């Protein structure tokens, strides 16, 4: 289940082990989170090298880092020249001189993990005061790579069905799952079944009945801007030590078009327009921007203990999952491919216990509780009084949840001026959706479900759209 980098990588690994494989993708190849990636390929720990060592110990922390380094090698091996794969250095830096000791400690720890690091008193990006370089990281045209990965799956004998939604597994040992076409044939949606020995949930989010994974992988929204600048950016990956951090890299070989990202916040629980404005200001304060070419956001699922969940789904026998890949799903999704394929094949897997989706990390319980506050607050909205919404006052592109004509609803006027009145309750587990004016979507803060302005399902755990309650 899932035709992004995780699903396709797993499919290819299974095919190479002699398995028969079918890939079902709810949309089209490249239409999900992978396609919205800024395509950094690095092995630097998302939680930082010092914290990773503290959490795992030096031996397992080094193995985890080695796994991600191997993933970059695998991507390089599979990519053709058309994917524009390029080895480049990466720089982790600070704009605050007071942070130098902290970065020096991180640099030393990164070296202990097996990364090729070098301290830099001068980092080649505006406003940086210190940092360290990491050799042999990479960048890639991720959409081209994804389509080539799909071609490789089919060439190896795999079958890919696009626009095919598969219901999430709930039984301990399922043998079949319902399928539904996400595009109509005539006026109907085609339904069916898929049968299997093993099923891999590679849809980025938790798509199983394992409730603990929802608590351990809260959904976040992250923002990206593509911009043309007047002076070329050095060919490297850059990210700072802000919380959340900002990052930037070349989007074109000449360095005159760049990708910048950051300003992450819980899905449905932040100010999307303000987040994009903050990213734009950060970019314009540091670069001579000629033109904003494009801007978008993508959803990611942050593991509360800082490590991905890859392996057998909790409480299940033949259901496998990869989720909580944070903002580095290209390397972790690639690694998940061989980890899950080896587990299905009965092979021993290094770090299987560290990555196990059934693990409970005592060190992250505080983070689980903290993230759960957002969920609890959202459920409370179902019983608290709602503001009144005047449908006639909504301008194109505006939306709100509230009471309209005596009925609680999610109501918006899309950019074409069409009014949509919807049930505000998410069809997954009953959260209250919120209007996202930047993406023109209804987003659920509980588990990250996203719906189009007209209520149709876009992404995340929900398997159906919001109900239309009419005029």
């Amino acid at each position: 289940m899932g035709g992004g980098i995780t699903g396709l990588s797993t499919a290819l690994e299974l095919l190479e082990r002699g398995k028969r494989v079918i890939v079902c993708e709810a949309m089209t190849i490249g239409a999900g989170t992978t396609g919205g990636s800024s395509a950094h390929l690095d092995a630097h720990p998302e939680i930082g090298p010092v914290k990773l060592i503290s959490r795992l110990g030096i031996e397992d922390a080094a193995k985890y880092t080695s796994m991600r380094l191997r993933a970059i090698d695998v991507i390089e091996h599979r990519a053709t020249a058309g994917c524009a794969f390029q080895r480049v250095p990466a720089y982790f830096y600070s704009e605050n001189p007071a942070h130098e000791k902290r970065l020096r400690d991180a640099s030393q720890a990164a070296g202990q993990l097996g990364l090729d690091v070098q301290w830099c008193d001068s980092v080649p990006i505006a406003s940086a005061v210190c940092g360290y370089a990491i050799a042999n990281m990479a960048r890639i045209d991720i959409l081209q790579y994804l389509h080539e990965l799909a071609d490789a799956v089919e060439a190896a004998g795999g079958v890919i069905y696009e626009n095919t939604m598969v219901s999430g597994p709930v039984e301990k040992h399922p043998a079949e799952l319902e399928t539904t076409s996400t595009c109509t044939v005539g006026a109907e949606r085609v339904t069916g079944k898929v049968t299997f020995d093993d099923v891999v949930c590679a849809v980025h989010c938790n798509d199983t009945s394992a409730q603990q994974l929802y608590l351990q992988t809260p959904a976040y929204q992250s923002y990206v801007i593509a911009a043309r600048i007047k002076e070329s950016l050095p060919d490297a990956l850059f990210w700072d030590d802000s919380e959340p951090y900002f990052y930037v890299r070349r989007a074109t070989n000449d360095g005159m078009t760049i990708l910048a990202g950051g300003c992450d916040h819980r899905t449905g629980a932040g100010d999307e327009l303000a987040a994009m404005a903050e990213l734009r200001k950060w970019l314009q304060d540091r670069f001579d921007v000629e033109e904003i070419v494009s801007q978008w956001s993508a959803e990611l699922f942050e593991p509360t203990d800082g490590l991905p969940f890859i392996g057998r789904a909790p409480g299940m026998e033949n259901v496998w999952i990869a989720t909580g890949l944070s903002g580095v799903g290209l390397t972790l999704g690639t690694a998940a491919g061989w980890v899950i394929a080896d587990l299905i094949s009965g092979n021993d897997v290094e770090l299987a216990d560290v990555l196990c989706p059934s693990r409970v990390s005592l060190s992250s319980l505080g983070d689980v509780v903290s993230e759960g506050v957002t969920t609890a607050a959202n459920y409370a909205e179902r019983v608290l009084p709602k503001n009144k919404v005047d449908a006639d006052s909504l301008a194109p592109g505006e939306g709100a949840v509230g009471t309209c004509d005596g009925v609680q609803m999610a109501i918006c006027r899309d950019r074409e001026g069409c009014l949509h009145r919807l049930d505000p309750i998410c069809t997954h587990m009953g959260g209250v959706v919120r209007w996202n004016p930047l993406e023109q979507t209804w987003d659920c803060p509980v588990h990250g479900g996203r719906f189009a302005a007209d209520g149709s399902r876009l992404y995340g755990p929900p398997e159906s759209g919001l109900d239309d309650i009419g005029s």
Side-chain angles (χ1 to χ4, degrees):
M1 297 165 56
I5 194 166
T6 306
L8 293 175
S9 298
T10 305
L12 192 57
E13 295 279 356
L14 286 166
L15 288 161
E16 290 172 351
R17 288 160 178 76
K19 306 294 185 181
R20 295 175 59 199
V21 178
I22 291 175
V23 177
C24 294
E25 163 57 44
M27 297 182 285
T28 57
I29 300 299
T33 296
T34 302
S37 168
S38 58
H40 283 62
L41 298 174
D42 77 271
H44 191 269
E46 281 286 272
I47 60 175
V50 173
K51 192 171 184 179
L52 183 67
I53 292 171
S54 174
R55 185 151 291 177
L56 295 184
I58 185 61
E59 184 177 350
D60 280 350
K63 289 178 180 178
Y64 179 77
T65 304
S66 176
M67 180 183 75
R68 291 186 60 202
L69 287 169
R70 175 185 168 189
I72 299 174
D73 292 341
V74 168
I75 293 170
E76 182 178 26
H77 174 72
R78 291 174 177 165
T80 69
C83 296
F85 179 95
Q86 182 67 44
R87 290 281 184 173
V88 296
Y91 291 90
F92 179 49
Y93 70 92
S94 180
E95 297 181 352
N96 187 339
H99 292 180
E100 180 176 338
K101 182 184 183 305
R102 187 170 71 188
L103 261 70
R104 284 188 179 275
D105 290 343
S107 175
Q108 182 178 11
Q112 291 177 310
L113 294 176
L115 295 173
D116 184 356
V117 298
Q118 182 176 359
W119 179 258
C120 302
D121 289 315
S122 177
V123 177
I125 187 172
S127 302
V129 296
C130 63
Y132 54 90
I134 310 161
N136 289 317
M137 302 297 100
R139 58 179 173 85
I140 194 171
D141 179 339
I142 192 56
L143 278 176
Q144 180 64 28
Y145 177 73
L146 204 59
H147 285 292
E148 291 188 5
L149 203 54
D151 290 343
V153 167
E154 291 182 322
V159 179
I160 298 175
Y161 292 99
E162 296 181 294
N163 298 305
T164 302
M165 167 77 71
V166 180
S167 59
V170 297
E171 298 174 354
K172 184 176 183 179
H173 193 107
E176 65 179 27
L177 292 172
E178 301 288 334
T179 64
T180 306
S181 64
T182 52
C183 58
T184 58
V185 178
E188 302 294 328
R189 295 189 183 274
V190 178
T191 60
K193 292 182 179 179
V194 59
T195 60
F196 48 82
D197 294 324
D198 292 273
V199 58
V200 178
C201 297
V203 295
H204 202 39
C205 60
N206 176 32
D207 197 32
T208 75
S209 55
Q211 296 301 306
Q212 71 189 64
L213 286 179
Y214 289 122
L215 294 173
Q216 293 170 307
T217 57
Y220 276 74
Q221 210 67 23
S222 189
Y223 298 82
V224 185
I225 292 176
R228 274 195 283 272
I229 56 177
K230 294 183 179 179
E231 186 175 341
S232 177
L233 177 72
D235 199 1
L237 313 179
F238 300 90
W239 65 93
D240 68 12
D241 64 343
S242 301
E243 184 58 47
Y245 61 82
F246 293 93
Y247 61 88
V248 64
R249 76 162 178 90
R250 284 185 177 190
T252 54
N253 286 332
D254 63 3
M256 302 303 287
T257 301
I258 61 175
L259 295 176
C263 299
D264 304 1
H265 62 74
R266 275 291 297 267
T267 295
D271 186 328
E272 295 85 3
L273 293 175
M276 187 61 82
E278 181 184 356
L279 178 57
R280 191 180 301 113
K281 183 178 186 304
W282 181 89
L283 179 66
Q284 292 171 334
D285 285 348
R286 289 157 182 79
F287 300 94
D288 192 352
V289 176
E290 190 173 77
E291 179 188 5
I292 300 294
V293 177
S294 183
Q295 60 182 34
W296 66 93
S297 69
E299 192 165 58
L300 53 92
F301 292 82
E302 286 284 359
T304 51
D305 67 356
L307 298 168
F309 295 89
I310 302 171
R312 195 191 308 269
M316 297 180 171
E317 295 176 345
N318 64 333
V319 179
W320 311 84
I321 190 168
T323 188
L325 307 186
S326 191
V328 290
L330 301 189
T331 53
L332 290 180
T334 300
W338 74 72
V339 168
I340 291 175
D342 276 341
L343 289 170
I344 289 175
S345 300
N347 300 328
D348 291 336
V349 173
E350 206 168 46
L351 298 179
D353 291 342
V354 170
L355 304 173
C356 179
S358 297
R359 71 181 186 267
V360 176
S361 173
L362 295 178
S363 64
S364 68
L365 287 180
D367 293 325
V368 172
V369 172
S370 176
E371 294 288 357
V373 171
T374 298
T375 298
N378 181 265
Y379 279 131
E381 292 184 14
R382 296 189 62 166
V383 296
L384 295 176
K386 291 292 182 185
N387 295 327
K388 289 185 177 181
V389 179
D390 179 7
D392 294 333
S393 69
L394 291 175
E398 292 184 344
V401 172
T403 302
C404 183
D405 300 328
V407 178
Q408 182 176 318
M409 65 178 70
I411 181 170
C412 71
R413 192 178 301 280
D414 64 30
R415 285 174 174 158
E416 285 69 47
C418 183
L419 194 68
H420 303 281
R421 300 169 183 256
L422 307 165
D423 188 327
I425 304 304
C426 177
T427 54
H428 177 230
M429 293 184 68
V432 180
V433 298
R434 294 185 179 179
W435 179 244
N436 179 336
L438 182 72
E439 297 288 344
Q440 298 288 288
T441 57
W442 295 105
D443 299 348
C444 180
V446 177
H447 300 129
R450 304 188 72 195
F451 307 86
D454 65 0
S456 56
R457 178 200 177 273
L458 288 176
Y459 185 77
E463 295 180 5
S464 60
L466 299 174
D467 293 331
D468 189 332
I469 61 176
S471 58

